[in-house]
Amino acid sequence: MKLSLWTSILVELSPAEACARLAEQGWEGLELSTEHIVAVDSAPDPLAAADEVRAVIGASCVEMPQVHLLISANIAMADDAKRLEFMETLKRQIALSARMGIRIGVIHPGGVRPKAFAEELAERRRRVEGFRELADYAAERGFSLAIENMTDGARDCRSAMGQRRYGATIEELHTLIDGIGRSNVGICLDVGHAHVQGYEMAEAVRQCGERLIATHIQDNDGTRDGHLAPTRGTINWRVGIAALREIGYHGLFNLEIPGERGLPAHLTLKRLEGVLATTRWLLDPEQGDA
Amino acid sequence: MYIGATTHIIIEIPATEVLPYMTEAGFRGGELALVHLRQFAEAAYPERTAEQFRVRCEELALQIPQVHLSVAAMGTLDADQREADFARMRREIELSALAGAKTGVLHPMGGWPATLAEQREIERLRVEDFARACEIAAEHEFTIAIENTYDAHADEHSAMGRRRFGSLIPELHSVVDAVGAENFGICLDTGHTNLIGLPLGEAFRQCGDRLIATHVHDNNGHQDQHTEPTRGTIDWPDAIAALREIGWDGIFNLEIAPLRGQPLELQTLRMRQVAKTAKWLLTL
């Protein structure tokens, strides 16, 4: 497993600059954040912006195999025009990511809160069709999709499915992936989401099994999606990391920790030195077994 | 549709003694409460006690179409617990039938599996156990109603996270489909739907013609308070419209918390007010 960080920790910097600074700090891997892929896509010359990022990564020791595709994209949306717009954006982002050497795109399952059960069933059909189309597009570029687990809503959410949100259980992700039926679709496990949802990290990892191809590593107190650095919440990391080894996961151990943001870049980098050291310790097999 | 109340609306006195107060308040029926059913089972002459209850209902023209059976470990991995629960359930169904009830309400249960494999086994056993409950019920021309529950709070953990099987109506349908018994349907608990965030009208519509029992109560959407309708956040006009839409002509049974320890006079006064409110709701 490679110790990795998502680039939005330095969201105020350009994609290339953020990658360069994090590579200098000693991170082994990076996930290009949604904000940064959006920045590349909306640059005056997106191809040149993508090439600049690729050059930075190529000149450093860091790997960047993973991108977080547009967070707000909803490929299960009922509005045909908006859904098509999302699909076009996602395809552009996949093409640009592939150009940067990225091989995996993290994506949310999408969906809204249906008023009637019939709407929910229609949404599930659109979700499968949308992912199938996107997976085929990605496959042509040697790219895979990693569908991320979500959390159910708060007590005041209302829908035909109550507070439940599709994709909050690993079982639902497997059902979705079975339905899509494409070999380049796997799971991105957000361990913080799983924790809020009431999963032990180790059990969530085991349920993902060999379909686990990406991770979002973050901690919280089990009640709110805090996105804090590991050990700042209540996740059992020792057992969770052991489970990752048990299932033979070799991808990024990728921190997605906006809960640690909010400082100027130079102070954020200071804070990250500690996060890097702590997480490296957690991933050290000898320390973990101690 | 007619209004009723679970007999524990006055919990300190025997069920047969609660009945005149229910009639006086304006209820036309009710559900035999678990606490009262247990009193039948523990009485010196259980069968006679149950029959006396039925006779009294007939005298007062009260219908008691449903009973709340004990919470049984449906789908438990503990075989001894299962057999003990089924022995008790059989006895409860016998006495309920003698008391005049036709439908027994059961919770889906299942516990908190640690692994997905356990969850799968619980799902299998749940279907097996409900099928067995339906077989026992059929011997007494009795039906079983599976009741919706609600997801746990954030601090509970399992292989399904904090989700609890049976919170959503499609999950109940899946059990009814799998069991395939004619004497099996759904009891919709209105307060539980509010806790899960499922609008009540939509919940009734999702039940459709499988609705065979009701637990009607209200809450603030955060705690299972079992307050009377209109004291919480449920959209009652839409719910009543949905009940009419699906053609429900059974009991609108209030399962509200009793005023424990309060003078009987106050409890009956409250019953009358609650009945008036419920009657008014049914005119919407």
Side-chain angles (χ1 to χ4, degrees):
Chain A
M1 270 182 292
K2 280 192 158 50
L3 182 48
S4 170
L5 183 62
W6 107 131
T7 60
S8 264
I9 194 77
L10 298 175
V11 70
E12 61 272 51
L13 304 184
S14 72
E17 199 178 344
C19 291
R21 300 288 284 275
L22 294 172
E24 281 165 21
Q25 194 170 48
W27 295 89
E28 300 160 11
L30 295 176
E31 175 191 88
L32 190 67
S33 72
T34 268
E35 293 89 340
H36 282 143
I37 185 67
V38 167
V40 170
D41 186 30
S42 56
D45 184 346
L47 298 182
D51 290 344
E52 186 189 3
V53 172
R54 183 173 187 137
V56 167
I57 297 297
S60 70
C61 297
V62 76
E63 277 186 29
M64 191 163 70
Q66 186 171 315
V67 60
H68 199 317
L69 299 171
L70 189 66
I71 282 180
S72 58
N74 178 6
I75 64 173
M77 194 168 230
D79 183 320
D80 289 339
K82 284 185 181 167
R83 191 174 69 254
L84 285 174
E85 196 180 317
F86 281 136
M87 289 297 284
E88 289 311 308
T89 302
L90 290 167
K91 285 177 181 176
R92 280 200 316 277
Q93 291 187 352
I94 288 171
L96 288 167
S97 298
R99 188 179 177 98
M100 286 184 266
I102 296 171
R103 299 182 303 277
I104 295 171
V106 176
I107 184 166
H108 292 183
V112 290
R113 299 201 171 277
K115 287 182 181 166
F117 188 56
E119 285 178 29
E120 166 72 12
L121 295 179
E123 185 176 272
R124 288 183 193 181
R125 282 193 294 274
R126 287 193 299 273
R127 182 181 287 115
V128 169
E129 286 165 11
F131 271 112
R132 206 172 273 160
E133 181 183 333
L134 207 60
D136 288 342
Y137 181 86
E140 290 168 9
R141 287 151 185 83
F143 195 87
S144 297
L145 300 176
I147 306 177
E148 180 178 346
N149 61 306
M150 310 307 291
T151 62
D152 285 335
R155 280 273 185 233
D156 54 354
C157 292
R158 293 284 179 274
S159 84
M161 301 301 289
Q163 290 126 11
R164 292 189 179 179
R165 181 180 293 161
Y166 195 89
T169 66
I170 310 304
E171 192 182 34
E172 284 177 345
L173 297 185
H174 280 298
T175 302
L176 174 59
I177 294 168
D178 288 343
I180 296 165
R182 298 293 188 269
S183 60
N184 64 328
V185 182
I187 294 173
C188 170
L189 178 65
D190 186 308
V191 299
H193 292 175
H195 193 50
V196 171
Q197 193 60 27
Y199 280 100
E200 299 293 349
M201 178 179 162
E203 174 60 18
V205 167
R206 288 188 192 104
Q207 286 189 21
C208 291
E210 62 187 13
R211 275 182 169 159
L212 186 69
I213 58 172
T215 59
H216 280 174
I217 302 297
Q218 52 128 332
D219 213 340
N220 59 55
D221 66 359
T223 65
R224 283 180 300 176
D225 192 19
H227 283 270
L228 303 169
T231 73
R232 289 198 61 200
T234 55
I235 288 177
N236 187 336
W237 291 102
R238 183 172 171 270
V239 178
I241 290 168
L244 283 168
R245 292 208 171 91
E246 185 186 311
I247 67 162
Y249 177 71
H250 295 296
L252 296 186
F253 189 80
N254 178 68
L255 275 58
E256 191 196 44
I257 49 174
E260 305 293 343
R261 258 188 330 211
L263 297 172
H266 69 283
L267 289 178
T268 298
L269 283 163
K270 284 283 179 199
R271 177 180 283 181
L272 286 178
E273 285 174 13
V275 172
L276 182 61
T278 310
T279 315
R280 189 171 275 151
W281 187 90
L282 283 176
L283 283 178
D284 181 340
E286 288 181 23
Q287 300 297 350
D289 292 341
Chain B
M1 205 171 4
Y2 60 98
I3 62 163
T6 301
T7 57
H8 70 206
I9 193 163
I10 303 178
I11 203 165
E12 292 96 345
I13 58 177
T16 307
E17 292 177 31
V18 177
L19 299 175
Y21 293 112
M22 288 172 62
T23 308
E24 190 184 286
F27 291 109
R28 283 181 46 210
E31 173 186 85
L32 178 59
L34 177 56
V35 63
H36 286 136
L37 175 61
R38 284 184 177 159
Q39 286 173 5
F40 291 176
E42 290 160 4
Y45 301 100
E47 281 79 3
R48 190 188 301 170
T49 308
E51 283 173 350
Q52 283 170 346
F53 176 82
R54 178 177 52 76
V55 168
R56 191 70 178 121
C57 287
E58 287 167 1
E59 288 169 357
L60 295 166
L62 275 173
Q63 300 182 63
I64 305 291
Q66 62 189 55
V67 56
H68 204 314
L69 301 172
S70 285
V71 174
M74 310 298 280
T76 181
L77 300 173
D78 182 336
D80 292 340
Q81 182 68 52
R82 174 181 299 104
E83 292 313 312
D85 282 359
F86 269 105
R88 186 183 57 195
M89 187 193 300
R90 178 178 288 280
R91 181 63 173 147
E92 287 182 353
I93 289 174
E94 285 169 3
L95 291 174
S96 298
L98 285 174
K102 298 287 181 196
T103 300
V105 177
L106 278 173
H107 292 190
M109 300 305 290
W112 299 102
T115 65
L116 204 52
E118 274 183 28
Q119 169 68 15
R120 293 278 174 271
E121 181 62 0
I122 286 169
E123 284 170 7
R124 190 186 67 76
L125 289 169
R126 183 185 290 115
V127 170
E128 205 174 282
D129 287 352
F130 270 101
R132 186 173 167 188
C134 288
E135 280 172 23
I136 295 169
E139 294 168 16
H140 300 274
E141 295 181 355
F142 201 79
T143 59
I144 296 294
I146 184 172
E147 179 181 344
N148 60 307
T149 181
Y150 56 95
D151 289 341
H153 295 285
D155 55 352
E156 296 190 51
H157 289 71
S158 83
M160 300 303 290
R162 61 190 168 90
R163 287 188 179 180
R164 187 177 286 166
F165 185 89
S167 298
L168 293 185
I169 311 304
E171 291 175 344
L172 303 184
H173 280 296
S174 74
V175 179
V176 177
D177 286 340
V179 169
E182 284 185 5
N183 64 332
F184 193 22
I186 294 173
C187 170
L188 189 76
D189 186 300
T190 65
H192 295 175
T193 65
N194 202 39
L195 292 174
I196 184 81
L198 177 58
L200 185 54
E202 171 63 17
F204 279 129
R205 289 182 189 102
Q206 288 185 17
C207 289
D209 59 11
R210 276 181 171 163
L211 184 73
I212 59 170
T214 57
H215 281 172
V216 177
H217 56 98
D218 212 338
N219 60 52
N220 60 5
H222 295 271
Q223 296 150 305
D224 194 17
Q225 297 164 308
H226 284 261
T227 62
E228 50 264 42
T230 74
R231 291 202 62 196
T233 57
I234 289 176
D235 179 354
W236 290 101
D238 181 52
I240 303 299
L243 277 170
R244 294 195 198 294
E245 207 177 296
I246 65 168
W248 174 247
D249 61 358
I251 193 166
F252 186 76
N253 186 75
L254 305 183
E255 193 198 39
I256 56 175
L259 287 180
R260 287 173 190 272
Q262 297 293 341
L264 192 57
E265 191 180 347
L266 181 64
Q267 296 202 42
T268 55
L269 187 63
R270 178 237 194 178
M271 277 172 73
R272 284 196 287 275
Q273 297 308 314
V274 169
K276 275 184 188 173
T277 308
K279 272 185 189 170
W280 179 83
L281 282 175
L282 293 192
T283 66
L284 292 175

